[in-house]
Amino acid sequence: MAKRSQPVLHRLSLAESMTVLVIVGGPLIAKGIMVRRPLVVRLLQSTGLEGGAVALLQRLRRRYGPGPVMLRLPGREQAVLLSPDDVRRVLAETPEPFETDSDEKHATLAHFEPEGSLISRGRDRVARRALNDQALESGCPIHSMAPHFREIIDQEIAALLSGPDDLSWGRFKDSWFRIVRRCLFGDAAADDRDLVAMLIRLRSAGNWSFLHPKRRVLRARFLSHVAAYLHAAPPGTLGAGLARRATTRSAAESQVGQWLFAFDAAGIATFRALALIVADAGITARARNDTAPGYPFLRACLLESVRLWPTTPAILRQSARPAAWNGSTMAEGTGILIHVPFLHRDDERLPFSHRFAPDVWLRGEADAWPLIPFSGGPGECPAKNLVLLLASNLMAALLTRNICLPPGGKLDINDLPETFDHFSLTLRHQAQSPLVAQRCS
């Protein structure tokens, strides 16, 4: 009798499925999908619990092979990808047959961007994604407005560095969002903290996805506020470029909701990247000497920050129709989870998994695994190059000062934790001097 081959889509037991939900999904939900919860982030860093998700998925891969594992859930088909080849396929075949508009993502993002491109389908998605690509110049490493953006960054960083020597997350975030608002809407929006505050409240509701009712009045006020800024956006801003290209179908206000959400994550990644850079004297020297066009080393440092601590730890897709899978069939409506920390911190496959290794981005090694800090394929973040541009210019401006960890601050770039509590991080800055030590005294 011929030996029966192992199924490609292996269905886990109920106990295994519950273990995956608790160990893989639990930390992601607890710390906040849309808005991070500081106390939970601090707890996860101190306990190292997020490393358990990677270890569990490694065990499942050893037990069942590289094919996707199917969770045993009531009323829902859910696949968890374990193979880089499967990840590449799903990302490459987005949005057909693997849609970005999964049920869970729609319920979450609709709290603040009801017509965002990520939760749209068909002709609506095509129009909205095209608007994003055009306004953000997603295919261009250097945005056409880069010189103006650098002027804004230099002005805001000069103001930041004129303040106290301590550089906390709160002070950094305020400066970052002044830069973002000026790049989006012009100088009139520089001090408009209410815009971000409204979005935070909507995203906080989004943390609960299906379970929290929509704050429809607040959402309408937020989108109306964005629309007013777009209408008045001066030339030379991202908002003006967006408004000029917008149509009724493209729903420009919802796209800006996603941009502001994404820029929050970008600020977190930039602040962490700064900490990584100043944790090692050799890295600091390379960063300060990065004068090549586009700051390639600083960009690599930002990419590495997002690899180590993905700001989007779960990439979700959903099959729009039955999809053939090496002799098996994935049913229509199946949810697909790509657990990004598993790809990025898999120490069974990646020798640099837990260390700061920006050179993997400069040598092209990152593409082979794959490493996907900004997702990939047709669903890749359209703001990737813009974020890298703004972050690298900002870090270059800050590194004209001696940015350093405070006394007692410690970050071992060769053994980095699975969670980084940026809320508790405070850097220090002072004028550069050849006599200044790496760590401020």
Side-chain angles (χ1 to χ4, degrees), residues 82-142:
L82 303 177
S83 159
D85 290 338
D86 289 343
V87 170
R88 289 191 194 94
R89 176 191 172 181
V90 167
L91 295 180
E93 296 180 20
T94 296
E96 173 59 35
F98 304 115
E99 297 172 324
T100 60
D101 183 26
S102 72
D103 293 345
E104 298 85 357
K105 186 185 294 183
H106 197 111
T108 301
L109 293 181
H111 281 274
F112 60 92
E113 50 170 291
E115 298 177 293
S117 67
L118 286 173
I119 53 173
S120 301
R121 301 182 181 185
R123 293 173 61 194
D124 287 341
R125 183 192 182 279
V126 171
R128 293 163 188 173
R129 175 67 198 213
L131 179 63
N132 279 276
D133 286 333
Q134 292 162 11
L136 296 170
E137 298 181 11
S138 59
C140 301
I142 308 296

Side-chain angles (χ1 to χ4, degrees), residues 10 70 244 319 364 374 425:
H10 188 96
M70 306 294 295
R244 186 174 68 252
S319 57
F374 288 86
L425 174 64

